[in-house]
Amino acid sequence: RRRFRLLEQGADLQAAVEHAEQAVAATPDGGQRARRYHDLAVTLSMRHRHGGDPSDLDAAVATFTSALAAAAPDERLRYAPDLARAFRLRYERDGDPADLDGWISAAASAAGSAASGWSGLPEVAHLLGVGLLERHERDANPRDLDAAINAYDYGSITAARTGSALRPALLVGLGTNLTRRFARTQDPADLDRAVHAAEAALVQLDRGAPLYAAGLALLGHATHLRCSASGRRSDLDRAITAYQRLVALAGTASDDRVAHLTELAACLSARAQATGELNDLLAAVDAYTRAADIATGPDQRGVVLTGLGAAWTAVYERTGEPQYLSNAVAAQEAATREAASPNPR
């Protein structure tokens, strides 16, 4: 295996598989057998990555399972994460719910048996959280969402203790799913925790980091939700600032930019409604207009144009200028045409 990593010669990998199979066959039941199974499963996984043969992944799953079954209780932590990863790969290939359940079960076994200071725990917690969210998307079982939140929370706490680079990803996952749960429970504590998670993630991320935009989007979304729930003006100000920064970061014609401009416009419109500030309404019109210029597809354009029409209507009601009402009518008519267009979905 070592020579294969250096030279990537398939013959070396084939020889490594054969050697590992012979080692399993020659090892009696006992402490070493689990290790031999694990060595074989790792080698089969390498061959699957190299050659793409589906049977190698199937064999790896079966052999990782044998390694876990043969392991002593204090050794199971060594093997369970690899089994979870193999189940995940096969689930992503085949979509078999049994593989998703196996992924979650193996990751939960590893997370449950690990000491709180184990350096691998943040990765396992992330793996568990992703699996639980995948199952929640399929079954809409709220217990899976609750369990995913707990996994991300525990993983982020452990990541802080161990200095893991995964902490920002765990925090963003935690906050994102707290906002999802708020939609069901309306518990203000979930929004408070989501805002805190976004803030903690952003502190650790450079502006150019891949997760930075996700952290800003979480902060904008969570503070906007919290303002809607509590009427706290400072949260709306923070949401606007977050979306302004996101617009500056996004590509000039990306779907992300359309979404951020639309959210920014909605927040500006909400603040104008609360304060009567005309400049916020005009800024909302500008944001909706920029979003409409780059939006694609009837669904996306329809949402943006509807918002633009509402913003122009609010400007007209504030100023009494007939041209603004004409602009509102034109935007609403365009939104209606988009709704009548063939939907590519």
Side-chain angles (χ1 to χ4, degrees), residues 160-184:
R161 292 176 184 156
T162 61
S164 170
L166 274 174
R167 186 164 186 248
L170 288 159
L171 287 165
V172 170
L174 171 63
T176 299
N177 289 291
L178 284 165
T179 62
R180 294 176 71 186
R181 187 167 71 181
F182 173 78
R184 183 185 85 232

Side-chain angles (χ1 to χ4, degrees), residues 258-272:
V258 174
H260 300 329
L261 282 165
T262 304
E263 292 290 346
L264 172 60
C267 291
L268 288 163
S269 295
R271 189 166 70 181

Side-chain angles (χ1 to χ4, degrees), residues 114-138:
S116 61
W118 178 49
S119 62
L121 186 53
E123 181 185 358
V124 169
H126 189 268
L127 182 65
L128 175 58
V130 172
L132 287 162
L133 289 175
E134 183 71 25
R135 193 165 68 184
H136 177 259
E137 289 291 328
R138 187 192 71 193

Side-chain angles (χ1 to χ4, degrees), residues 237-320:
D237 294 340
R238 295 182 69 193
I240 288 169
T241 299
Y243 285 120
Q244 286 170 333
R245 293 165 68 187
L246 278 166
V247 168
L249 285 173
T252 55
S254 68
D255 284 345
D256 285 344
R257 186 174 176 84
V258 174
H260 300 329
L261 282 165
T262 304
E263 292 290 346
L264 172 60
C267 291
L268 288 163
S269 295
R271 189 166 70 181
Q273 185 176 5
T275 66
E277 178 57 58
L278 179 60
N279 285 336
D280 277 341
L281 274 181
L282 295 174
V285 165
D286 176 68
Y288 277 129
T289 301
R290 286 189 285 157
D293 287 342
I294 58 174
T296 58
D299 281 354
Q300 191 179 66
R301 285 185 54 79
V303 169
V304 173
L305 288 166
T306 297
L308 177 58
W312 274 126
T313 299
V315 174
Y316 166 73
E317 291 171 347
R318 198 68 51 81
T319 65

Side-chain angles (χ1 to χ4, degrees), residues 42-341:
V42 169
T43 310
L44 288 164
S45 296
M46 290 174 62
R47 191 166 71 179
H48 171 257
R49 288 194 299 272
H50 178 68
D53 186 342
S55 66
D56 278 337
L57 180 56
D58 296 337
V61 169
T63 311
F64 278 130
T65 301
S66 296
L68 192 61
D74 61 348
E75 292 182 317
R76 292 175 64 83
L77 180 60
R78 182 183 304 172
Y79 307 127
D82 284 336
L83 176 59
R85 295 184 193 100
F87 269 128
R88 178 182 183 177
L89 280 175
R90 194 165 70 177
Y91 172 75
E92 290 172 345
R93 185 191 75 192
D94 299 337
D96 186 343
D99 284 335
L100 178 57
D101 292 341
W103 162 10
I104 292 168
S105 177
S109 173
S113 62
S116 61
W118 178 49
S119 62
L121 186 53
E123 181 185 358
V124 169
H126 189 268
L127 182 65
L128 175 58
V130 172
L132 287 162
L133 289 175
E134 183 71 25
R135 193 165 68 184
H136 177 259
E137 289 291 328
R138 187 192 71 193
D139 299 339
N141 187 334
R143 288 179 294 182
D144 280 335
L145 180 58
D146 294 341
I149 287 169
N150 290 338
Y152 282 121
D153 191 22
Y154 187 42
S156 67
I157 292 169
T158 305
R161 292 176 184 156
T162 61
S164 170
L166 274 174
R167 186 164 186 248
L170 288 159
L171 287 165
V172 170
L174 171 63
T176 299
N177 289 291
L178 284 165
T179 62
R180 294 176 71 186
R181 187 167 71 181
F182 173 78
R184 183 185 85 232
T185 66
Q186 298 296 299
D187 183 352
D190 280 344
L191 290 183
D192 293 340
R193 292 175 64 195
V195 170
H196 176 74
E199 292 169 336
L202 288 169
V203 165
Q204 299 179 58
L205 292 167
D206 295 329
R207 182 183 173 89
L211 268 175
Y212 186 79
L216 269 181
L218 171 60
L219 182 61
H221 183 52
T223 50
H224 190 191
L225 283 175
R226 193 165 69 176
C227 173
S228 299
S230 68
R232 190 184 306 176
R233 164 70 185 278
S234 61
D235 277 335
L236 192 52
D237 294 340
R238 295 182 69 193
I240 288 169
T241 299
Y243 285 120
Q244 286 170 333
R245 293 165 68 187
L246 278 166
V247 168
L249 285 173
T252 55
S254 68
D255 284 345
D256 285 344
R257 186 174 176 84
V258 174
H260 300 329
L261 282 165
T262 304
E263 292 290 346
L264 172 60
C267 291
L268 288 163
S269 295
R271 189 166 70 181
Q273 185 176 5
T275 66
E277 178 57 58
L278 179 60
N279 285 336
D280 277 341
L281 274 181
L282 295 174
V285 165
D286 176 68
Y288 277 129
T289 301
R290 286 189 285 157
D293 287 342
I294 58 174
T296 58
D299 281 354
Q300 191 179 66
R301 285 185 54 79
V303 169
V304 173
L305 288 166
T306 297
L308 177 58
W312 274 126
T313 299
V315 174
Y316 166 73
E317 291 171 347
R318 198 68 51 81
T319 65
E321 175 61 47
Q323 181 58 50
Y324 296 149
L325 181 58
S326 297
N327 292 346
V329 171
Q332 293 293 357
E333 288 176 342
T336 300
R337 288 194 297 273
E338 291 294 342
S341 298

